Amino acid sequence: MRVAIMGAGYVGLTTGVALAYLGHKVICIDKNEELISLLNSGTPPIYEQGLRSILLEVRANLTFKTTINEDITESEVIILAVGTPPKADGDADLSQVEEVVNTLAGLLKPGTHPVIVNKSTVPVGTARLIKTMLGSGGSFSVVANPEFLREGTALRDFLYPDRIVLGAEDNLGVERLRELYASIISQDFTAPGYLTRPAGYFHPEMLVTDYNSAELIKYSANAFLAIKISFINELSGLAERLGVSISEVARGIGLDRRIGASYLNAGIGWGGSCLGKDIGALRHMAARYNYAMPLVEAGVIINNKQRVLAMAKLQEVLKDLAGKTIGVLGLAFKPMTDDLRDAPAIEIISMLLEQGARVKAYDPLAVNKFKKIYHYLPVECATDVMMLAKNCDAIIIATDWPEFKECSWERLGNLMRQKIVIDGRNILKPREMRKIGFVYLSMGQ
């Protein structure tokens, strides 16, 4: 099938390479010339598990361009995957969506009938808006098809999804998307060696619904996950006061199939480009209809509090932070990505600097991006955990990279000025850390 994707950012790029791997002929279009030049050279602009390998493998089926022309409208499926960043009031900025749709409206040819698929995360009512903007000629179909890709595992999530959600008003759009995703639904494609099919995975559920429901499903899913994290974080404070391990509590309640174990890791809270942005848009939508969402509001408050709590634990041990050297392990908001957007580590670093501390930082992937974006912050970036630990008065673990769990903390402690660890991700074992002489504080342990 011929597919055109508007936007070669995180969602557009991973969608494009995955569809190309499945045998579709894909064109990815982005007006960022530097980005397209990188992609045409075979260099991915982001880190994503398997992306570099699959990008090289699918070059025969994948083209990158900077301009939209009439040839694009001959594609059977046109996917919108442009950014919808938050405005100051939390509402989603649809200017990029509207720009692309206006361009397409002037190019659609009678009789071609492409299916316009929106994957950008947008407020309820956007699919209908897109349909209106494209005109009343009826030579197209519009489908709302939200993405559920997690950074770090986006390609795996695309190839082996839990569900595929389609919001549509005509059968042609639905059937075209069934054809597009046929090999994912049937799972009859050969899995890449670097992205093997999960054990026990069968096939995804396809949910066909209306426009508004599909759009609200996306926001609702992210809001629920954020609240689930905030719930375990709020409970972790009580666990500390009761002398209970929140990790054991999370394990016990996660064994209940109605609850599940995922997103029950207490720590310094969620970050990234999706949860906060989508919750902000959901709150803005609710406010437009004069509808209160206190549970969602509480989730945000609790999440923000966790970052401050980690600092409070550090001050509890060191008292005055001025002149102290603090190492921050992890910069990205989660492991297996170099994404720094709304990363808890960045806020913690800012608070440390405000308190007069000297800050050292290390991340397996995100150090170079951090130095480029936050070049104005006086932070010493280390090349490994040993370099970071040298002469530190304390270390804060801000990202749960496996490397931090597996390294020799006894060796690290010998390099530190004071053996103090604030484990913001609960990745270490309290008893073992204290046994080797650390003052060890975690979140709810």
Side-chain angles (χ1 to χ4, degrees):
M1 187 175 287
R2 292 165 298 168
V3 181
I5 300 178
M6 307 294 110
Y10 203 93
V11 173
L13 178 57
T14 52
T15 298
V17 296
L19 289 175
Y21 178 82
L22 297 173
H24 300 293
K25 295 293 184 181
V26 181
I27 301 174
C28 276
I29 301 146
D30 197 295
K31 61 183 179 181
N32 184 330
E33 294 183 2
E34 182 181 356
L35 172 64
I36 295 302
S37 178
L38 273 175
L39 291 169
N40 276 324
S41 70
T43 305
I46 56 173
Y47 178 82
E48 177 62 41
Q49 184 183 9
L51 180 58
R52 182 178 292 273
S53 298
I54 202 170
L55 185 60
L56 293 173
E57 191 172 339
V58 302
R59 294 309 297 270
N61 286 340
L62 184 59
T63 305
F64 296 102
K65 299 176 62 175
T66 57
T67 56
I68 303 174
N69 55 35
E70 290 187 359
D71 294 339
I72 301 302
T73 62
E74 295 178 359
S75 299
E76 295 154 278
V77 174
I78 300 174
I79 297 174
L80 311 184
V82 295
T84 54
K87 297 179 182 177
D89 60 1
D91 193 16
D93 183 350
L94 297 182
S95 59
Q96 294 181 55
V97 174
E98 292 172 352
E99 179 183 350
V100 170
V101 173
N102 278 326
T103 301
L104 290 175
L107 295 174
L108 290 178
K109 300 175 182 178
T112 56
H113 210 106
V115 174
I116 314 298
V117 179
N118 185 48
K119 276 195 174 293
S120 299
T121 302
V122 293
V124 171
T126 303
R128 205 167 299 283
L129 171 65
I130 291 171
K131 195 170 185 178
T132 300
M133 291 177 65
L134 288 172
S136 57
S139 59
F140 58 87
S141 294
V142 174
V143 176
N145 176 214
E147 52 83 17
F148 301 100
L149 308 179
R150 298 167 297 170
E151 291 190 42
T153 59
L155 287 168
R156 187 175 296 278
D157 292 341
F158 191 95
L159 295 172
Y160 316 114
D162 295 324
R163 76 287 203 196
I164 297 171
V165 176
L166 305 179
E169 289 189 336
D170 63 71
N171 289 332
L172 181 103
V174 173
E175 292 309 310
R176 190 78 57 83
L177 269 289
R178 283 189 193 277
E179 183 181 350
L180 182 71
Y181 295 131
S183 57
I184 293 177
I185 295 168
S186 65
Q187 286 293 303
D188 61 357
F189 64 91
T190 301
Y194 43 86
L195 292 170
T196 55
R197 190 171 281 106
Y201 182 80
F202 185 46
H203 62 74
E205 186 81 21
M206 176 173 277
L207 171 63
V208 179
T209 183
D210 59 275
Y211 286 152
N212 290 359
S213 296
E215 290 165 340
L216 188 56
I217 284 169
K218 169 63 176 181
Y219 283 118
S220 302
N222 276 354
F224 183 84
L225 294 174
I227 291 169
K228 192 174 180 182
I229 297 169
S230 289
F231 170 78
I232 202 67
N233 279 332
E234 183 171 57
L235 205 60
S236 72
L238 178 61
E240 282 190 14
R241 285 158 179 77
L242 296 174
V244 171
S245 168
I246 194 62
S247 297
E248 290 299 296
V249 173
R251 183 183 175 198
I253 64 177
L255 290 171
D256 187 328
R257 284 176 294 179
R258 297 169 300 173
I259 297 172
S262 61
Y263 289 80
L264 280 180
N265 298 318
I268 53 176
W270 40 263
S273 63
C274 294
L275 295 187
K277 176 178 78 74
D278 292 353
I279 285 177
L282 183 64
R283 292 163 68 189
H284 187 273
M285 279 191 290
R288 281 200 341 233
Y289 290 92
N290 196 30
Y291 184 75
M293 302 190 77
L295 185 59
V296 174
E297 300 278 353
V300 175
I301 292 169
I302 293 164
N303 190 66
N304 293 339
K305 185 177 72 174
Q306 292 303 112
R307 306 175 186 193
V308 178
L309 180 59
M311 279 291 296
K313 288 176 180 288
L314 181 64
Q315 289 173 313
E316 178 186 329
V317 182
L318 285 178
K319 310 306 179 188
D320 185 11
L321 299 183
K324 302 292 196 307
T325 299
I326 312 300
V328 178
L329 276 180
L331 293 166
F333 82 95
K334 61 179 286 189
M336 304 309 297
T337 181
D338 60 355
D339 196 340
L340 299 169
R341 289 174 289 182
D342 193 28
I346 307 304
E347 186 174 348
I348 288 171
I349 287 172
S350 297
M351 289 188 283
L352 287 169
L353 292 172
E354 287 172 6
Q355 294 289 325
R358 176 180 175 234
V359 180
K360 300 172 73 176
Y362 168 69
D363 187 285
L365 281 180
V367 166
N368 289 335
K369 182 173 284 189
F370 175 82
K371 287 192 287 189
K372 182 178 179 180
I373 298 174
Y374 297 99
H375 55 85
Y376 54 88
L377 293 178
V379 175
E380 179 185 341
C381 291
T383 56
D384 56 49
V385 291
M386 296 298 170
M387 179 180 173
L388 176 126
K390 190 174 182 180
N391 296 325
C392 275
D393 292 288
I395 287 175
I396 298 177
I397 301 175
T399 312
D400 48 338
W401 283 98
E403 176 183 338
F404 303 157
K405 182 178 181 179
E406 296 162 3
C407 67
S408 171
W409 280 92
E410 190 165 9
R411 286 182 61 199
L412 289 182
N414 292 334
L415 295 171
M416 296 174 70
R417 187 178 292 123
Q418 300 186 64
K419 296 170 73 171
I420 299 169
V421 169
I422 309 299
D423 188 351
R425 295 299 183 185
N426 291 352
I427 63 173
L428 305 177
K429 295 180 179 180
R431 185 175 298 176
E432 291 183 4
M433 292 298 290
R434 292 175 184 133
K435 186 177 179 180
I436 59 175
F438 275 91
V439 174
Y440 175 82
L441 297 175
S442 55
M443 314 299 285
Q445 302 277 57

